[in-house]
Amino acid sequence: MVNIIEVKTKKELKRFIEFQNALYKGVDQYVPTLLSSELTYLNPQKNPAFEYCDMRFFLAERDGELVGRIGAIISKKANKIWKEKKIRITRMDFIEDKEVFEALIGVVEDWAKERGLEEVVGPLGFCDLDKEGMLVDGFEKPGMFITYYNYPYYPRFMEEYGFEKEVDWTEQIVHLDCPGEEKMQKLCDRLMKKHKVHIVRLKNKRQLVPYVHKVFELINSEYESLYGVVPLTEKQIKFYEKEFISMINLRYVCLIENQAGELVAFGITAPSLAEPVKRCGGRLFPVGWLYLLKAIRKPKILDMYLVAVRSDCRNQGLNAILLNETYQQAKKDDIQFAETGPQLETNYNIQKMWDFFRVEMHARRRRSWKKKIEK
């Protein structure tokens, strides 16, 4: 018999977070979550998202052994903006056992019914900057620090329970093999001159600080129509700013301004933290922070985090300028390859960015599911 326990204490929350490490022990593709970061994200006193989100965490036990976990988020803001009545599943992991899986989904559905909600969706987070999507293809590929890993039986259980696809994201692996490099450079030079824009090159992180808020403002304005997105509040922006600055290498922050000094486009590519986080098991102390610091300073692989172009500049080729600037720096640093974060499969403007490169398209695919709640 499966016993469901609602997480109430900090000790139980640590069990909730660390369950995945035990479940995926020995799986090379799995990248742990940073324990310290996750404890912050899931703390209502520290994460401003709790101002408009309700969340519960549940553990599944059988005979005293932990066999599964699930989180459930009710984003009142998302439901209002998108005119929906949805509950989001998040951080769901379980052994290969249908009884465990159904007990976890069942407790989320029960809570949703209590709140008058009509549909279960996900995996999704508090906002678009959180990890989202269940892996449905590409299980053999090494994972990324910014995404979930899950076993191949997860999507099978979802389908058998009645879940259907809502949206898919795909991830691409971009190799430093650019047959059209000279053509791309000439194009970018011409575009910059034509549209009177310039690249902002930063020498230290103090110079970055004034741009951070502008980056998040551009995210709010240009991501607002994407699936499940809700604008970040001022408190959320401040919450993410510190982590944003700590995780990046300035050589891979590309900012484009117009003549008026307005930020019209940015591309944020960061050193991959997958290997150092695996090495330290998701714990920064006592020496995990040293592994991360080394990876940030001397990257071998890059993670392409975020890109945005202001709507009135979208047909000016600024994406190509961002990509070329990043490519030129990566070539200097002898980077092996870069991986994109999850990109909506219907975001064709982003997918066109890779025309100049040798790319493994759809190297991984992940999904947000949906299911009506039976009354």
Side-chain angles (χ1 to χ4, degrees):
M1 180 178 176
V2 178
N3 183 33
I4 298 296
I5 303 166
E6 184 176 352
V7 172
K8 297 286 189 180
T9 67
K10 187 174 181 179
K11 181 179 180 180
E12 290 171 339
L13 183 59
K14 284 185 177 180
R15 290 187 72 207
F16 178 90
I17 296 169
E18 294 179 328
F19 171 70
Q20 56 181 337
N21 290 342
L23 186 65
Y24 300 115
K25 186 176 181 180
V27 177
D28 290 338
Q29 294 85 352
Y30 168 68
V31 180
T33 297
L34 283 177
L35 176 61
S36 56
S37 294
E38 190 74 338
L39 283 170
T40 300
Y41 290 151
L42 301 183
N43 187 337
Q45 306 303 317
K46 295 182 179 181
N47 187 347
F50 280 92
E51 292 184 356
Y52 62 83
C53 289
D54 294 332
M55 184 174 186
R56 289 185 180 179
F57 319 97
F58 301 96
L59 297 170
E61 286 188 347
R62 180 189 282 145
D63 299 325
E65 180 183 358
L66 196 57
V67 291
R69 69 167 192 168
I70 195 167
I73 298 171
I74 300 175
S75 175
K76 292 170 282 190
K77 191 173 181 179
N79 283 341
K80 181 178 180 180
I81 290 173
W82 295 96
K83 296 178 173 59
E84 299 168 334
K85 294 184 177 181
K86 295 182 176 181
I87 190 168
R88 300 177 171 198
I89 54 174
T90 185
R91 296 160 174 83
M92 179 173 66
D93 291 292
F94 49 92
I95 65 171
E96 191 171 1
D97 186 302
K98 282 190 178 181
E99 184 185 17
V100 174
F101 168 76
E102 291 178 0
L104 290 169
I105 295 294
V107 73
V108 172
E109 290 180 322
D110 288 343
W111 186 38
K113 289 177 186 178
E114 291 175 12
R115 298 291 295 269
L117 303 178
E118 299 174 350
E119 192 171 31
V120 181
V121 296
L124 294 170
F126 295 102
C127 67
D128 200 51
L129 297 183
D130 295 342
K131 295 180 181 181
E132 54 190 6
M134 178 180 289
L135 194 63
V136 295
D137 191 28
F139 297 97
E140 75 287 354
K141 299 286 186 181
M144 299 175 69
F145 170 67
I146 58 174
T147 57
Y148 289 122
Y149 179 81
N150 56 262
Y151 285 118
Y153 60 81
Y154 281 39
R156 174 165 52 87
F157 280 20
M158 296 292 281
E159 288 178 345
E160 291 174 356
Y161 193 77
F163 279 90
E164 299 175 346
K165 169 186 171 180
E166 183 157 49
V167 299
D168 274 11
W169 296 268
T170 63
E171 298 161 21
Q172 337 307 331
I173 298 177
V174 184
H175 296 273
L176 288 193
D177 182 359
C178 183
E181 178 179 354
E182 185 176 346
K183 180 180 178 181
M184 181 171 67
Q185 184 64 60
K186 289 180 179 179
L187 172 64
C188 292
D189 292 340
R190 188 166 65 249
L191 290 170
M192 290 177 68
K193 185 176 181 180
K194 177 181 178 181
H195 298 296
K196 298 178 181 179
V197 297
H198 60 273
I199 294 170
V200 179
R201 292 187 170 88
L202 305 171
K203 295 181 179 179
N204 57 63
K205 289 191 176 182
R206 287 193 301 275
Q207 293 178 334
L208 173 64
V209 172
Y211 287 96
V212 174
H213 200 276
K214 295 179 182 180
V215 165
F216 282 106
E217 287 180 338
L218 205 55
I219 289 172
N220 271 349
S221 64
E222 304 309 321
Y223 283 36
E224 64 179 358
S225 62
L226 298 180
Y227 167 74
V229 169
V230 294
L232 298 170
T233 66
E234 284 296 318
K235 288 184 180 180
Q236 281 182 287
I237 289 174
K238 291 185 181 297
F239 176 74
Y240 284 110
E241 279 180 355
K242 184 177 180 181
E243 181 178 22
F244 172 80
I245 292 174
S246 68
M247 293 291 188
I248 62 171
N249 182 316
L250 283 180
R251 300 197 300 275
Y252 294 101
V253 176
C254 186
L255 308 170
I256 299 179
E257 288 183 336
N258 61 15
Q259 279 187 309
E262 299 169 328
L263 184 69
V264 294
F266 74 84
I268 305 296
T269 300
S272 171
L273 300 181
E275 285 306 315
V277 171
K278 286 168 65 176
R279 186 177 177 186
C280 70
R283 294 178 178 272
L284 289 179
F285 299 98
V287 295
W289 63 276
L290 289 173
Y291 302 150
L292 267 67
L293 189 61
K294 181 179 178 180
I296 291 170
R297 289 178 174 175
K298 296 183 178 180
K300 297 179 181 178
I301 299 169
L302 298 176
D303 289 346
M304 307 184 84
Y305 278 15
L306 297 163
V307 60
V309 176
R310 207 171 71 181
S311 55
D312 60 333
C313 304
R314 282 184 187 165
N315 296 318
Q316 297 179 3
L318 302 190
N319 277 339
I321 297 172
L322 293 170
L323 189 58
N324 181 57
E325 180 73 5
T326 302
Y327 165 69
Q328 296 299 334
Q329 184 60 56
K331 191 169 65 168
K332 291 178 185 176
D333 289 348
D334 199 25
I335 296 295
Q336 297 174 13
F337 58 86
E339 299 183 274
T340 73
Q343 301 172 338
L344 284 168
E345 63 178 350
T346 55
N347 194 339
Y348 304 114
N349 288 331
I350 290 293
Q351 294 179 26
K352 288 179 182 177
M353 289 178 63
W354 319 121
D355 290 348
F356 287 101
F357 293 86
R358 181 171 64 86
V359 180
E360 295 178 51
M361 294 296 290
H362 314 321
R364 288 180 294 266
R365 179 179 290 271
R366 54 188 68 248
R367 178 166 299 164
S368 178
W369 303 83
K370 63 180 180 180
K371 180 183 178 296
K372 293 291 184 183
I373 298 171
E374 297 179 5
K375 296 182 180 180

